[in-house]
Amino acid sequence: MEKIDQYAVFGNPVKHSKSPQIHAAFAAQSGQQLHYRAHKVELGRFADAAGQFFHNDGKGLNITVPFKLDAYEFADELSGRARRAGAVNTLAKGEDDRIYGDNTDGVGMVRDIHDNLGWEISGRRVLILGAGGAVRGILGPLLKQRPEHIVIANRTVAKAEKLAEIFNELGDVRGTCYEALDGGQYDLIINGTSASMSGDLPPLPSQILSSEGCAYDMMYGAEPTPFMRWAAAETAWAVSDGLGMLVEQAAESFCIWRGIRPDTKPVIEAIRQSLAA
């Protein structure tokens, strides 16, 4: 009997993950035979768990919080975007048994913004809220789109400035504090903080969105996030959550593993419907 290729998502917690549903849809759509599951890994046990998975002929892993740095250290070889992001969310076993690490978060978000939503990034004034690992993962692909400039705002300004320094060779990017945003205007604001998870909102001044400004929350849920509601009240031209980013980064992982790029739009719609159910 032929073995079915094994894939998984490692995280803690991971019960809420939509990845098994997404990859099952990709496999069905493309006629691929594979098995994908969510696996909770105990803290401090990532290397052991990943090593065992690949030793038992596992083909690929998605990595979610809090193990993206562990995956970065675990990989034998890193893509350029993973190296710059300093984190890995996709591991793939090569023909030579070496483990390849990549980061698909940024390209997933860019594809969602550009291809699915039809928003422009090139030449735009971009503001990113937060300076954590999630933001570091998206900066490289965003800067490749050649925005006019990117400003990173964070409560701890030193973190924002440090992140800007890491990426400033790719374009005009600088770090600041929320208080310094007053008086500026932006065409695209991306919420990269976890504030939406706790029902909070970063301290943003009014009239910070331009007349054609768009607002994107990297978080998602069944209901609009506090950031999305704020942006709508500020008369944003368009508002979106990060569900499309989730599906698009998964599609990039699927392409790395299987060499096939799935059609993401019906999958985004299916996940959206499941959230509303």
Side-chain angles (χ1 to χ4, degrees):
M1 185 175 175
E2 187 178 350
K3 283 186 178 179
I4 296 178
D5 290 344
Q6 301 293 312
Y7 297 88
V9 56
F10 278 13
N12 187 341
V14 77
K15 188 177 180 181
H16 66 286
S17 176
K18 300 295 183 186
S19 292
Q21 184 180 348
I22 293 169
H23 284 281
F26 289 163
Q29 179 191 109
S30 58
Q32 297 284 296
Q33 291 293 315
L34 59 86
H35 184 259
Y36 189 110
R37 65 189 177 95
H39 181 71
K40 181 181 177 182
V41 176
E42 296 304 318
L43 301 182
R45 301 288 297 173
F46 178 84
D48 291 339
Q52 189 69 29
F53 176 83
F54 286 114
H55 178 73
N56 291 333
D57 294 327
K59 297 296 185 182
L61 288 173
N62 284 133
I63 313 299
T64 188
V65 184
F67 298 118
K68 292 184 181 182
L69 293 179
D70 297 86
Y72 183 92
E73 296 296 333
F74 182 83
D76 298 314
E77 182 182 350
L78 295 166
S79 70
R81 59 193 180 191
R83 195 177 300 280
R84 192 172 287 278
V88 160
N89 78 335
T90 303
L91 291 171
K93 189 175 185 178
E95 296 288 335
D96 56 359
D97 290 341
R98 286 173 60 80
I99 306 302
Y100 171 80
D102 205 341
N103 190 306
T104 67
D105 286 331
V107 69
M109 189 185 72
V110 167
R111 284 206 180 108
D112 187 40
I113 289 175
H114 195 272
D115 298 348
N116 298 333
L117 299 173
W119 301 357
E120 193 58 64
I121 300 173
S122 175
R124 300 295 187 177
R125 298 164 294 178
V126 179
L127 171 63
I128 302 178
L129 312 178
V135 171
R136 179 164 175 163
I138 65 171
L139 275 169
L142 268 177
L143 284 162
K144 281 190 175 181
Q145 297 299 305
R146 300 189 180 280
E148 180 179 313
H149 60 250
I150 291 179
V151 173
I152 305 166
N154 194 56
R155 293 183 191 273
T156 306
V157 68
K159 284 188 69 176
E161 290 173 342
K162 179 63 177 176
L163 204 51
E165 185 181 325
I166 293 170
F167 285 89
N168 62 17
E169 68 185 61
L170 299 183
D172 184 355
V173 55
R174 51 189 181 272
T176 190
C177 58
Y178 288 113
E179 292 77 14
L181 295 175
D182 202 10
Q185 277 203 327
Y186 297 89
D187 307 305
L188 172 60
I189 302 181
I190 298 169
N191 182 24
T193 74
S194 58
S196 292
M197 297 178 68
S198 55
D200 295 327
L201 182 69
L204 296 171
S206 60
Q207 299 182 324
I208 195 171
L209 273 164
S210 68
S211 59
E212 295 185 355
C214 301
Y216 190 93
D217 198 331
M218 290 171 66
M219 300 294 171
Y220 69 93
E223 302 292 333
T225 67
F227 173 75
M228 292 169 68
R229 290 195 295 269
W230 166 85
E234 287 285 314
T235 64
W237 178 71
V239 176
S240 180
D241 67 8
L243 178 60
M245 173 183 173
L246 173 73
V247 177
E248 291 292 346
Q249 64 82 24
E252 183 75 2
S253 295
F254 192 87
C255 189
I256 290 167
W257 295 332
R258 311 297 294 186
I260 295 170
R261 181 165 299 286
D263 182 2
T264 54
K265 290 186 179 180
V267 182
I268 293 170
E269 182 59 31
I271 301 293
R272 181 74 69 195
Q273 289 178 3
S274 74
L275 288 174

